[in-house]
Amino acid sequence: MITNLFLSFFEISVSVSVLVAVLILFTSFFNKRYAAKWKYLIWIFLAVRLLVPVTGANVQSVMDMPLQMELQAASKSEEHTDAPIDATIPSGRVIVEIPTQMTTPIAVANVFAMSSEKSRLSITLLDIVAFVWMVGSLILISTHLISYLYYKNQVMKRGTIIEDPRILFQMMERKRELHIKGAIRMIEYPEADSPMIIGFFKPVLVLPKEQYNINELYFILKHELVHLKRGDVYFKLLFVAANAVHWFNPLIWIMQKEAAVDMELSCDERVTQGTSYDMRKAYTETLLAMIHKRCAKRTVLSTQFYGGKEVMKKRFKNILLKNRKKNGILILLCVVLLTISLGTLVGCSIAKENGEEINENSPSADNTLADNNISENSIEPVLSETENEVERGDKIFLAVTREGETEEIPATLFVGEGYSIYLTDDGWQPHDLADSRWQPHFPDAWISMVDMDGKVVLDGKVMLDGQVQLWIAHFKDKTVNQIQKELADDGYRVENSDMIKQEDELIYKVKLNEFENDIWGIFYSYPIEAEEGWGAVLPVIADTFAVTINPLPVQVDVTPAIETLDLNGTTYYLVSNEAQLRAIATGVYGMDKNYMQQADIVLSAEEWTPIGTWENPFTGTYNGNGFEITGLTMTDPDAKLVGLFGVAKGAELYNITMRDYDITSAGSNVSGKSVGAIAAIRVGSSYDNFVD
């Protein structure tokens, strides 16, 4: 939690630093053209932004929420599967990469009894950095608060209440002038560096032990009461808190100093507002009289009349400036908009292992280093469901890339006899396909929406009726090779993982899915001229096909034997060796059980079978418990699912550590393969995992 909070504040610090640097760079320009109060308001806004841990990822999550809700509805997850499908990093964001070395776990002995064996707690360098950040922030804010409380205590203990009638009268007049109500204590403190307001709930005006003339009292009291009325002491606390949280960023330290200067400049402008040049000159003389006063006793959580020689020079120049300054509200609004924009563009990301590049055709990486590899013209495949789980009418959005741009098309679930598929919401009509040679095999067929004249309308372009078709064929007791041979005899040829043929101006394609001893074929056709239209949409529809089955029986009474542990009413299956781990993939123990690893497991070179398939996904939990899984090997060039887990739906995968795995050559013949070291396809929670 601390690490995530640190990354959120780090992301905010990076985005705000850009604006801070620009403001500091153009300080002279702003001071000449705009009133100081506008720059002061900008600092206040940025300080608030620095303390609100809402990052671009949070904004993106809110923006994606409607889509995530649709995807969750489609997956029909159980209670513990309310986490959205992992999303790739938005292409428009500027990513600040966290070095992989900082996320490499450092094994630390941890003696706690989960069963009767020892576990290990993994702490990364990033966790240590986050802990140092938190400690540094607490030390800094504590130092300021302790210093403030000590200084205030000294003032109240050693100071004397002012009873001089001249000062009390001037105080009453200035309060009336500024419309300030309520009592304000005035204390004379010999060691005060300058006149100041101190205190948050019961403010006290502190004056050094000096002799003041009438003009000096007028300006000093008015200056401090302006601070009081504006609540500047609270804004000082705001800047201190922002600096404490972002103490690692030197630009925020500079921002705090600049904000203090602009606070004084804006206060001077308010004091001298509407006065003559002679009056402003008298005010500068009062400031000049304070320069010779020095004292080591200072606190940042107060307003101070004197701010040092360099600051006083700036104040003199600003007070005596004759040119009227412009209204800076537009500058403030621009900064607000830029802050929001930069906050959504800047993000933190864990650097990928082995320098792998992120592109449209390679796996995308998140902080689990185990996202899926999905082709740009497909969506997350719809998992096979049991008969009781699928429900006609479910809705999702299909991500389709046409003419270089990705769009989301709404689709509705159609449940047939033994299968389900999502059809786009553009008016598919049932069709008989009586002239098709595959007619004896198909349970359902559709034709695209037609208009009143019997023409097919696609993207505003009229095409002949019957050219855009989709049908499902179910081949029983036949092998894939037999079906492919029959298709080849009919003029089809292999293209990637599908088969294709062309007749006149029409393209015909078929996608074959094998389940147990049956073959399902998803056929579709479209005109050549619609290659960038229906040619992009139909393959995505075909990818949503899923076989509906009855749940596989749970087998817990066969070898290899496995021990169980009842913990707080939950039964855990304890995985200690390779045979038990491989048995999970075969469904021996059940895909819906809770598994807990109890030892490091070194896998043999035998081809790994991923746990969970589209037809029978893994829906339980797997706790790696900090132990390692070493040597996982997958080399099958026809593998469609590549990873420790194949399809995990509504599952919780955590504390899994994988080392020295080899999956780079798997699925080389498959264009639409899904790859993830931990899970190829995942709908559910996955966290605290590590791959190397």
Side-chain angles (χ1 to χ4, degrees):
M1 179 178 179
I2 295 175
T3 302
N4 292 335
L5 187 62
F6 168 71
L7 289 176
S8 295
F9 278 121
F10 182 79
E11 180 179 328
I12 294 169
S13 195
V14 171
S15 61
V16 172
S17 291
V18 176
L19 293 173
V20 172
V22 172
L23 290 171
I24 293 173
L25 185 63
F26 291 94
T27 292
S28 298
F29 171 79
F30 285 121
N31 289 345
K32 289 179 181 178
R33 296 178 61 90
Y34 300 100
K37 72 173 182 179
W38 297 109
K39 193 151 163 271
Y40 182 43
L41 290 174
I42 290 174
W43 295 131
I44 293 173
F45 171 76
L46 293 180
V48 172
R49 178 68 187 99
L50 288 168
L51 293 175
V52 179
V54 178
T55 65
N58 304 131
V59 175
Q60 187 69 28
S61 296
V62 173
M63 294 173 64
D64 292 343
M65 190 173 294
L67 176 58
Q68 292 172 357
M69 292 175 66
E70 295 286 355
L71 292 173
Q72 289 173 352
S75 65
K76 287 293 180 182
S77 300
E78 299 164 4
E79 285 187 12
H80 64 280
T81 63
D82 56 355
I85 299 175
D86 292 337
T88 56
I89 299 171
S91 59
R93 297 190 70 197
V94 178
I95 302 302
V96 180
E97 287 193 347
I98 306 300
T100 306
Q101 293 83 351
M102 295 189 69
T103 62
T104 302
I106 304 170
V108 179
N110 181 28
V111 186
F112 70 95
M114 195 85 176
S115 53
S116 59
E117 302 189 17
K118 293 182 180 179
S119 298
R120 294 184 306 169
L121 178 64
S122 294
I123 298 177
T124 67
L125 182 58
L126 185 59
D127 294 330
I128 297 174
V129 170
F131 179 76
V132 172
W133 160 75
M134 182 187 67
V135 172
S137 297
L138 292 176
I139 290 175
L140 190 58
I141 193 69
S142 299
T143 300
H144 284 306
L145 289 175
I146 292 172
S147 174
Y148 160 75
L149 292 173
Y150 175 78
Y151 186 81
K152 184 179 180 183
N153 183 62
Q154 291 297 305
V155 170
M156 302 304 293
K157 182 186 296 184
R158 301 170 57 186
T160 57
I161 297 177
I162 296 176
E163 298 178 348
D164 187 331
R166 293 186 313 118
I167 300 178
L168 295 176
F169 177 77
Q170 281 286 349
M171 183 67 163
M172 182 179 63
E173 289 295 313
R174 302 292 73 77
K175 285 175 61 180
R176 184 183 296 114
E177 178 184 354
L178 296 172
H179 306 288
I180 296 176
K181 298 180 180 180
I184 302 173
R185 298 178 66 182
M186 289 192 295
I187 292 180
E188 185 178 74
Y189 183 51
E191 297 184 24
D193 183 54
S194 71
M196 69 182 72
I197 292 288
I198 189 170
F200 296 103
F201 303 108
K202 294 181 179 180
V204 177
L205 193 152
V206 182
L207 293 176
K209 190 174 183 179
E210 297 288 341
Q211 294 296 321
Y212 304 101
N213 59 40
I214 296 299
N215 286 337
E216 289 175 341
L217 281 175
Y218 173 84
F219 289 118
I220 290 173
L221 296 179
K222 187 174 182 179
H223 180 96
E224 295 305 324
L225 289 178
V226 168
H227 278 310
L228 177 65
K229 185 174 182 179
R230 300 194 311 180
D232 285 338
V233 68
Y234 296 101
F235 293 133
K236 280 254 185 174
L237 179 61
L238 176 69
F239 296 131
V240 167
N243 190 35
V245 172
H246 299 266
W247 61 266
F248 54 85
N249 189 341
L251 281 173
I252 306 305
W253 288 83
I254 298 174
M255 186 193 91
Q256 183 188 12
K257 293 181 179 179
E258 287 293 316
V261 172
D262 287 325
M263 182 184 75
E264 295 300 329
L265 293 177
S266 62
C267 186
D268 292 338
E269 291 175 349
R270 176 63 180 86
V271 171
T272 59
Q273 184 178 0
T275 61
S276 63
Y277 180 79
D278 290 337
M279 195 70 166
R280 297 200 302 272
K281 186 176 179 181
Y283 182 48
T284 60
E285 291 174 353
T286 301
L287 294 176
L288 188 62
M290 302 303 301
I291 292 182
H292 72 279
K293 294 179 173 62
R294 293 287 187 274
C295 183
K297 301 292 184 180
R298 295 190 182 187
T299 176
V300 72
L301 296 175
S302 68
T303 64
Q304 293 184 331
F305 195 77
Y306 170 70
K309 290 183 179 180
E310 293 301 321
V311 175
M312 298 302 270
K313 289 180 181 179
K314 291 182 180 180
R315 293 174 67 179
F316 291 163
K317 187 176 180 180
N318 188 59
I319 293 168
L320 298 175
L321 191 66
K322 295 182 179 180
N323 296 332
R324 185 177 180 181
K325 295 186 177 183
K326 297 182 178 181
N327 189 312
I329 190 170
L330 290 179
I331 299 296
L332 175 61
L333 292 176
C334 287
V335 170
V336 172
L337 293 175
L338 284 173
T339 302
I340 296 172
S341 300
L342 288 173
T344 57
L345 288 175
V346 177
C348 294
S349 174
I350 306 300
K352 284 199 64 142
E353 287 276 355
N354 302 324
E356 295 180 45
E357 295 181 356
I358 299 176
N359 53 51
E360 292 180 346
N361 298 317
S362 68
S364 55
D366 63 4
N367 58 358
T368 65
L369 296 172
D371 266 359
N372 306 329
N373 179 22
I374 303 174
S375 64
E376 62 179 339
N377 282 339
S378 67
I379 64 164
E380 186 104 9
V382 176
L383 309 178
S384 298
E385 310 274 0
T386 66
E387 293 287 356
N388 295 329
E389 287 177 329
V390 293
E391 182 177 343
R392 184 188 301 266
D394 282 351
K395 297 229 179 236
I396 64 170
F397 286 87
L398 305 182
V400 179
T401 300
R402 297 195 288 187
E403 298 181 350
E405 295 185 1
T406 301
E407 59 181 305
E408 295 175 349
I409 300 177
T412 302
L413 182 67
F414 175 86
V415 180
E417 184 177 349
Y419 75 94
S420 64
I421 191 170
Y422 281 91
L423 300 177
T424 53
D425 295 345
D426 51 10
W428 289 93
Q429 301 293 330
H431 191 46
D432 55 16
L433 281 181
D435 58 345
S436 170
R437 66 160 295 186
W438 303 107
Q439 190 273 337
H441 303 284
F442 70 78
D444 291 292
W446 301 269
I447 189 170
S448 61
M449 183 179 66
V450 297
D451 62 12
M452 297 299 293
D453 297 324
K455 306 297 184 182
V456 177
V457 180
L458 175 64
D459 295 339
K461 187 172 183 178
V462 177
M463 295 183 295
L464 295 177
D465 181 16
Q467 289 184 324
V468 180
Q469 299 177 351
L470 174 71
W471 67 98
I472 309 297
H474 185 197
F475 305 95
K476 297 182 178 180
D477 300 322
K478 287 188 177 183
T479 65
V480 173
N481 290 335
Q482 289 175 327
I483 302 300
Q484 288 179 336
K485 186 177 185 305
E486 292 183 28
L487 288 168
D489 293 341
D490 196 44
Y492 285 87
R493 57 182 173 81
V494 176
E495 182 180 86
N496 297 325
S497 59
D498 301 332
M499 298 193 73
I500 183 174
K501 76 172 181 177
Q502 179 178 343
E503 288 186 354
D504 298 327
E505 299 300 318
L506 288 180
I507 298 293
Y508 291 86
K509 287 187 179 181
V510 57
K511 180 180 181 65
L512 297 177
N513 286 302
E514 183 178 8
F515 177 69
E516 294 182 348
N517 296 323
D518 293 343
I519 309 297
W520 292 81
I522 301 92
F523 291 78
Y524 53 89
S525 66
Y526 58 88
I528 295 177
E529 60 183 352
E531 185 65 41
E532 289 296 326
W534 284 113
V537 176
L538 288 167
V540 179
I541 295 176
D543 283 341
T544 68
F545 176 86
V547 178
T548 55
I549 61 173
N550 292 320
L552 293 178
V554 178
Q555 301 177 12
V556 295
D557 56 350
V558 297
T559 57
I562 188 169
E563 295 181 358
T564 60
L565 171 69
D566 289 327
L567 200 63
N568 296 328
T570 301
T571 300
Y572 290 88
Y573 288 71
L574 306 182
V575 181
S576 303
N577 54 54
E578 179 180 6
Q580 293 170 342
L581 186 61
R582 288 185 181 273
I584 298 175
T586 64
V588 169
Y589 310 126
M591 291 291 179
D592 59 346
K593 298 297 184 287
N594 301 304
Y595 296 93
M596 184 189 302
Q597 191 169 333
Q598 294 296 294
D600 291 337
I601 297 176
V602 179
L603 298 175
S604 63
E606 180 183 349
E607 183 77 1
W608 173 256
T609 300
I611 300 172
T613 63
W614 292 359
E615 295 77 21
N616 190 26
F618 180 78
T619 59
T621 65
Y622 190 97
N623 178 4
N625 215 9
F627 292 104
E628 297 178 359
I629 298 175
T630 305
L632 183 146
T633 302
M634 289 192 68
T635 58
D636 182 6
D638 296 322
K640 297 180 180 180
L641 303 172
V642 182
L644 176 64
F645 288 81
V647 178
K649 177 194 172 186
E652 292 187 32
L653 313 176
Y654 56 99
N655 290 338
I656 300 172
T657 300
M658 291 183 59
R659 296 188 183 278
D660 301 328
Y661 59 93
D662 181 13
I663 60 175
T664 55
S665 61
S668 57
N669 294 338
V670 181
S671 62
K673 65 181 178 181
S674 295
V675 179
I678 301 296
I681 298 175
R682 180 177 66 244
V683 181
S685 302
S686 180
Y687 50 90
D688 294 339
N689 301 319
F690 176 77
V691 295
D692 182 15

